[in-house]
């Protein structure tokens, strides 16, 4: 088996205290098991198919191992599945802290309402569309970081698989729908994905036409999450310094703005017809 490079893991965010604790614990257990088996780091690296430098970084809590690393380590050290089982915790840490926290909130919400003005929301992006968007950042991310961020974005889409299903509402601007991000095929796949999601029974998807000269969302994204206990949290690029807010009086402002935007957008039926028209033009 070929020896992999040092890029076969993810960097640990030093500001993510929980993540650091998880990876430090996993790394320590790996080192103890390797030493108990009488294996040097270099020999262990050859056995699992990864470089010695990566072995030291994983064991030192400096690198987040991929699932295949843990599975190979479990086999080599004859751990009976105990090392492989660590992936259940490790897979959560691989996502950036902010994305993890957002995903946790979305996973609890019974209602999600989102207006996005400049891009197609991450909850609706295909894998290749997300890769193209994230890969266009300047300064550029490393290929490894792009993989990590794409995986994190797609993991949030598990919200569509929940039961009972949450009520989801999206309002998208026409402009981003017309931008062929990633090329024609990726663009077509993205439009097809929007049609697929827009037809789900728990989803309302609307398009804000460019010819609508003004509306209350021109200064940026609006997001509202409502939870089973009646509480809610919201965020707006153009209000309250973009910070998450939970005060009822502030939430009412965001709800008013979002309601106004929905009223000015195309109806759900008209929106799907418009996306179908765009798809036919690609």
């Amino acid at each position: 088996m070929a020896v992999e490079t040092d890029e076969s893991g993810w960097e640990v965010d030093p500001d993510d205290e929980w993540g650091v604790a998880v990876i430090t614990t996993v790394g320590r257990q790996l080192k103890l098991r390797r030493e108990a088996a009488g294996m040097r780091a270099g020999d262990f690296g050859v056995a699992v198919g990864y470089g010695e430098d990566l072995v030291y970084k994983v064991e030192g809590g400096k690198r987040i191992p991929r699932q295949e690393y843990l599975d190979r380590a479990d086999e080599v050290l004859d751990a009976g599945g105990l090392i492989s089982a660590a992936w259940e915790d490790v897979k959560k840490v691989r996502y950036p802290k902010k994305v993890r926290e957002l995903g946790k909130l979305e996973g609890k919400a019974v209602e999600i309402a989102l207006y996005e003005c400049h891009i197609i929301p991450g909850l609706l992006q295909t894998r290749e569309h997300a890769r193209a968007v994230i890969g266009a950042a300047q300064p550029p991310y490393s290929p490894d970081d792009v993989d990590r961020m794409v995986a994190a974005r797609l993991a949030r889409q598990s919200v569509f698989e929940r039961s009972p299903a949450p009520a989801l509402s999206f309002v998208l601007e026409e402009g981003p729908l017309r931008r062929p991000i990633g090329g024609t095929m990726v663009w077509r796949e993205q439009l097809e994905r929007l049609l697929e999601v827009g037809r789900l029974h728990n989803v309302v998807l609307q398009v804000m036409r460019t010819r609508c000269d003004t509306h209350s969302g021109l200064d940026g994204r609006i997001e509202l999450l409502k939870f089973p206990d009646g509480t809610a949290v919201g965020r707006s690029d153009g209000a309250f310094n973009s910070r998450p807010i939970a005060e009822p009086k502030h939430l009412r402002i965001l709800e008013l703005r979002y309601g106004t935007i929905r009223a000015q957008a195309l109806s759900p039926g008209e929106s799907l017809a418009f996306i179908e028209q765009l798809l036919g033009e690609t």
Side-chain angles (χ1 to χ4, degrees), residues 222-224 232-236 238-258:
I222 295 175
E223 184 174 22
L224 290 162
V233 64
R235 184 178 59 172
S236 171
F240 314 115
N241 298 316
S242 299
R243 63 180 176 83
I245 55 103
E247 298 88 342
K249 65 178 181 180
H250 293 159
L251 287 169
R252 281 195 292 272
I253 293 174
L254 296 189
E255 289 173 344
L256 174 62
R257 293 183 179 183
Y258 188 76

Side-chain angles (χ1 to χ4, degrees), residues 1 9 17 20 24 58 63 103 110 129 132 157 168 171 215 234 278:
M1 181 180 294
E17 295 181 1
V20 169
T24 299
V58 169
R63 200 78 168 170
V110 294
H129 182 100
Q157 296 180 9
L168 305 172
V171 180
H215 61 76
L278 288 180

